[in-house]
Amino acid sequence: MSQIEQLETEILAAIGKVDDLAALEQIRVLALGKKGSVSALMKGLGQLPPDERKSFGQQVNGVKQALNKALGDKKTALADKALAQRLATETADISLPVRIGPLAQGRIHPISQCMDEINEIFADMGFAIAEGPDIEDDFHNFTALNIPADHPARQEQDTFYFPKRADGSRLVLRTHTSPVQIRTMQAQKPPIRIIAPGRVYRCDSDQTHTPMFHQVEGLVIDSETHMGHLKWVLEEFLKAFFEVDEVQMRFRANHFPFTEPSMEVDIRYERSGNEVRIGTGDQWMEILGCGMVHPNVLKAVGYDPEQLQGFAFGVGIDRLSMLKYGMPDLRDFFAADLKWLRHYGFGVLDVPTLAGGLGA
Ligand code: DAH
C-alpha cells in the first residue's frame, strides 16, 4: 500500500469512528487544512521527477475528493442523528403556565395606561390622535389661542421660559396641550376631530401639582357643531373611562381665552370610607375645561368663523388616573419608585380595549 493510500485509509477509518461534529471538524482540519497531512503531500510534488508529478497530483486530488465526500456524508449523518435525538427528548407541555421572566415583571406606568385607555375611547368615537412639540413658540402656546402678550393668563400659567433668542422672542415648555389645536388646524382641512394627549409643564409643585404633568386636548371643527355634541362626547368619554353606566355632569360658566362660551365641568361623586365612587353621589368635583372655539382662534389659523365652528376641551390625565386607580400623591407618579410601580403599574399585555375591559 502506498503512503498516500495508507493515509487515506487511516483518515477514512477515523471519520468512520467519530461520533460528534466537533471531532469531525478536527479531523478535517488535520487532514485537509492548510497544515494538514494531505495538504503536506502536495508540498512534496516539486521534488518528484517531472513524469511522476501528474499522476501523483491526480492521486492526491482523488484522495481529497474521497475525504471531502466522506466528511460531508458523516456530517449529514451526525446532524440527522442529533436532530432525531432532540426530537425524541424535547417535548413541550403547552398547558404549563407562562414562566415569570423579566418581560412579565415589567410594568406599564398608570399614566401610559390611562393614555392608552383615553386613546381607545376617543378612537372608537372617530377621533384621530394628534401630536405637537413639548417646546413651543409664543404664537402656538399663547397668541394664536387668543392670549395676547399683555394677557394676564400668561402670568397665571407659571410658564417655564427659555433664554431670549436674537430676535427677542422666547421659546417655552408648553403650558398646555392646546397649542396642538393650532398646529392641527394649520396642517389639516376641516372637518377635524382630534385628541392630543401629552406632557405639559408649569412651575408648580405640591401634593397635587408637579412641574411636568399630562393633559389631553380635544378639538372638533366642522360647519355645524354645537354644545350638545360637546356634552355628548364628554359624557360618553367619562362613562367609558370610569367604567360606569352613568356620570352626572354640571356645566359651570368659566373663562378661557380660547373658548367662548367657556365652561368647567363638574361630575358627581361620593366617598365611602377610602373609596371614591364616580358618577353619582352628593358631591361635585371639577374635572375638565371646555367650550366653543373662540372666533379669534379660528381667525388665527386662517379659518372663517362664519363658515366653521367647533368645540374644544382639556383634561388633566394625571388626576383622572389618580381618581380611577386611587393614588393619593401626584409626586409619586414621577419618583421612579419600583415598589410603587409594581403596585400601581399594569402588565405589559394588559392592553386596554373597549371590548376586553379598559382597566384590565
Ligand atoms: N388649556 C387649558 C388649561 O391648560 C385647558 C382647556 C380648557 C383646554 C378649555 C381647552 C378648553 O381646549 O376648551 O388649563
Side-chain angles (χ1 to χ4, degrees), residues 82-297:
L83 180 63
Q85 259 169 7
R86 261 182 64 190
L87 290 178
T89 54
E90 269 183 18
T91 53
D93 181 352
I94 55 169
S95 67
L96 286 174
V98 178
R99 201 175 292 141
I100 299 296
L103 249 184
Q105 280 169 6
R107 282 285 167 271
I108 301 290
H109 195 285
I111 298 283
S112 305
Q113 184 79 8
C114 281
M115 281 193 178
D116 288 349
E117 293 178 21
I118 293 166
N119 291 349
E120 172 71 12
I121 296 167
F122 279 104
D124 195 59
M125 288 196 262
F127 284 65
I129 315 290
E131 284 182 320
D134 286 21
I135 298 175
E136 263 302 359
D137 55 37
D138 193 273
F139 177 77
H140 291 92
N141 197 76
F142 294 123
T143 313
L145 287 161
N146 197 30
I147 314 176
D150 50 0
H151 197 284
R154 292 206 178 197
Q155 269 87 58
E156 272 165 30
Q157 293 209 338
D158 300 318
T159 311
F160 285 114
Y161 284 97
F162 281 79
K164 273 206 174 105
R165 293 188 290 185
D167 64 0
S169 66
R170 286 198 287 182
L171 294 174
V172 300
L173 284 177
R174 67 176 178 192
T175 55
H176 49 181
T177 41
S178 305
V180 186
Q181 287 187 26
I182 304 299
R183 290 187 178 274
T184 307
M185 287 191 280
Q186 285 174 324
Q188 293 177 22
K189 284 210 174 74
I192 288 173
R193 216 185 302 170
I194 57 117
I195 57 161
R199 295 193 176 109
V200 298
Y201 306 83
R202 288 182 206 174
C203 189
D204 208 351
S205 182
D206 60 33
Q207 193 179 350
T208 51
H209 296 91
T210 48
M212 188 277 294
F213 56 105
H214 300 80
Q215 288 187 336
V216 59
E217 190 78 13
L219 176 72
V220 171
I221 300 282
D222 210 334
S223 50
E224 274 180 47
T225 40
H226 55 69
M227 297 215 313
H229 298 142
L230 167 62
K231 177 169 183 260
W232 182 84
V233 165
L234 292 176
E235 196 173 346
E236 289 304 304
F237 163 62
L238 292 168
K239 281 195 300 190
F241 182 80
F242 288 112
E243 300 178 63
V244 291
D245 294 331
E246 187 188 6
V247 175
Q248 291 176 6
M249 308 160 71
R250 169 169 86 176
F251 285 72
R252 217 168 2 83
N254 195 48
H255 173 262
F256 298 108
F258 27 86
T259 40
E260 181 56 39
S262 302
M263 289 148 292
E264 274 184 335
V265 174
D266 302 335
I267 55 175
R268 278 205 191 268
Y269 75 101
E270 166 175 81
R271 209 178 274 279
S272 62
N274 275 338
E275 295 263 306
V276 173
R277 189 142 48 96
I278 305 278
T280 53
D282 52 2
Q283 317 243 35
W284 289 109
M285 168 177 355
E286 186 227 310
I287 194 103
L288 61 90
C290 62
M292 300 304 291
V293 178
H294 197 291
N296 287 351
V297 174

Side-chain angles (χ1 to χ4, degrees), residues 12-69:
L12 285 176
I15 293 174
K17 269 190 261 160
V18 82
D19 212 22
D20 68 278
L21 284 168
L24 186 68
E25 174 62 9
Q26 209 177 358
I27 294 175
R28 189 192 67 76
V29 173
L30 284 175
L32 301 175
K34 247 196 209 151
K35 295 184 180 155
S37 48
V38 176
S39 313
L41 290 174
M42 280 310 238
K43 290 196 185 116
L45 198 66
Q47 274 101 54
L48 288 175
D51 56 334
E52 285 178 28
R53 283 186 199 164
K54 190 171 169 206
S55 68
F56 183 81
Q58 279 173 345
Q59 211 183 345
V60 175
N61 275 334
V63 171
K64 271 192 189 167
Q65 274 169 15
L67 291 181
N68 269 326
K69 178 163 182 335

